[in-house]
Amino acid sequence: MNTSIIPFDSKYAKDFATLNIEWLEKYFVVEPHDAALLEQCEDTIINQGGFIFFAKTDNAIAGTFSLIKIEDGIYELGKMAVSPKFQGQKIGQQLLEFCIEFSTTQGWKKLRLYSNRILENAIYIYGKYGFKEIPMEDHPPYQRSNIKMELILQK
């Protein structure tokens, strides 16, 4: 199977929402903040200075992630999901590697992410790629979040 990472195109907006909703409903619930990001991803992510990428495997969208702008040089890695049909094929790791490489070439300072400790594999992989746990703010953007991690890209 041949997997390539491709940038956002409006024709994939529905895939972005579907993959994430499928993942969220499996583990948690779709929160209002999620719905806004997923249903209007061009307005809430792309047009705000963010990015969305997809893993395309044999003409199927296998996975996705977004980089949501927090401030200049600091982005949230969010909305990462891999289709159940493609899980176990290291597509999430390919997306993560691409994400870090892309963010580094942009000259950004930091990537942050919010997750939940029940997602042990994901937390382990983030750690493997250099993300470190940092203190969570009092009111994180997602109710399900109980861990916040950060990757320093450049000092």
Side-chain angles (χ1 to χ4, degrees), residues 60-118:
I61 296 299
T64 188
F65 76 91
S66 67
L67 290 161
I68 302 164
K69 186 173 184 178
I70 299 171
E71 59 186 71
D72 285 345
I74 302 175
Y75 282 72
E76 175 192 337
L77 164 57
K79 306 294 164 245
M80 183 181 265
V82 175
S83 165
K85 290 187 294 225
F86 293 97
Q87 286 174 1
Q89 298 176 27
K90 299 201 183 305
I91 288 172
Q93 288 187 53
Q94 287 177 45
L95 287 168
L96 188 55
E97 286 170 12
F98 178 90
C99 169
I100 293 168
E101 197 175 300
F102 176 82
S103 301
T104 303
T105 62
Q106 298 297 307
W108 296 344
K109 297 185 278 272
K110 297 175 185 174
L111 287 177
R112 292 190 181 140
L113 63 84
Y114 294 89
S115 192
N116 187 294
R117 293 178 196 283
I118 66 165

